[in-house]
Each structure stands twice: as structure tokens, then as C-alpha cells.
């Protein structure tokens, strides 16, 4: 009887391990591979922004600098300022549908690229969750 219980516990542990591993793989943020002539890529700390109403957005961004820049030359605070300016005036209702969230991400990406005036080649939105 003890052998059967031990086998059952081992099986449950294996199933739990497989479930946790599969969940971790599925929830891992995707980061696009850098191109051969890309500059440095810096990751901004995850950010939670309050919207104009009682909702908020969780945001993670990666900035890919222009060729020739070093990571130290990329001012991360500028992207955060742009993100606040772009998203804070919005409401939860502005981000209800997938299309509205995609539009908000596109607006944010365009605004960040414009603010950096060519020093940033790409903006990668790793996380954009509206609550």
C-alpha cells in the first residue's frame, strides 16, 4: 500500500512540474531577435501607469538603439516620460478591445520613436496589460 501511495505522489509531483514548466514557457515574454546591424538593446523596468479613470496599464518596453550607440547613451527616462504622456490621459474604456490596445501600442511606439529622433531604431512592447 505504501508503494502505491509513493508512486501516486511521485506521479502528482511530475504532473505539477510539467504544468509549471509549460506555464512558464507559455507566459515567457517574446523578445524579437536583434538584426545583424542593430544597435544595443536596453530593457526598461516594468511600469504600472494609472489611467485617467480607476484603471491602470502594466507596461514593459525594450528599446533598440541605432547602430553605433552604447547602452549608456540611451536615455531610458525619456521613453518613460513619453509612455506617461501617451497613456495617462486614456481610460480603461479606451483600451477595452484588442484593436484599441493595438492602436494604443502603435501610438506609443510612434511617439517614442519621434521623441528619440533617430537614436532608437525599434521599440519592442514586451507587455501591455490593461486592468
Amino acid at each position: 500500500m505504501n508503494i502505491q501511495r509513493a508512486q501516486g505522489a511521485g506521479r502528482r509531483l511530475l504532473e505539477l512540474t510539467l504544468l509549471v514548466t509549460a506555464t512558464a514557457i507559455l507566459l515567457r515574454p517574446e523578445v524579437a531577435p536583434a538584426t545583424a546591424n542593430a544597435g544595443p538593446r536596453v530593457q526598461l523596468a516594468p511600469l504600472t501607469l494609472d489611467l485617467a479613470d480607476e484603471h491602470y496599464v502594466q507596461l514593459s518596453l525594450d528599446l533598440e538603439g541605432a547602430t553605433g550607440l552604447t547602452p549608456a547613451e540611451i536615455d531610458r527616462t525619456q521613453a518613460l516620460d513619453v509612455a506617461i504622456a501617451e497613456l495617462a490621459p486614456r481610460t480603461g474604456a479606451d483600451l477595452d478591445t484588442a484593436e484599441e490596445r493595438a492602436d494604443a501600442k502603435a501610438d506609443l511606439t510612434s511617439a517614442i520613436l519621434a521623441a528619440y529622433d533617430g537614436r532608437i531604431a525599434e521599440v519592442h512592447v514586451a507587455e501591455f496589460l490593461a486592468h
Side-chain angles (χ1 to χ4, degrees), residues 36-101:
N37 59 354
R41 190 165 180 170
V42 295
Q43 183 177 26
L44 278 64
L47 179 67
T48 301
L49 294 172
D50 289 329
L51 299 176
D53 56 7
E54 298 171 4
H55 295 88
Y56 61 95
V57 169
Q58 289 178 295
L59 181 68
S60 293
L61 299 172
D62 293 349
L63 304 176
E64 190 174 310
T67 305
L69 284 182
T70 65
E73 294 175 301
I74 299 173
D75 179 15
R76 293 167 174 89
T77 59
Q78 188 174 2
L80 297 176
D81 291 342
V82 172
I84 292 167
E86 273 295 313
L87 297 174
R90 297 179 191 248
T91 64
D94 294 336
L95 302 172
D96 273 345
T97 67
E99 183 179 337
E100 291 168 332
R101 288 187 298 276

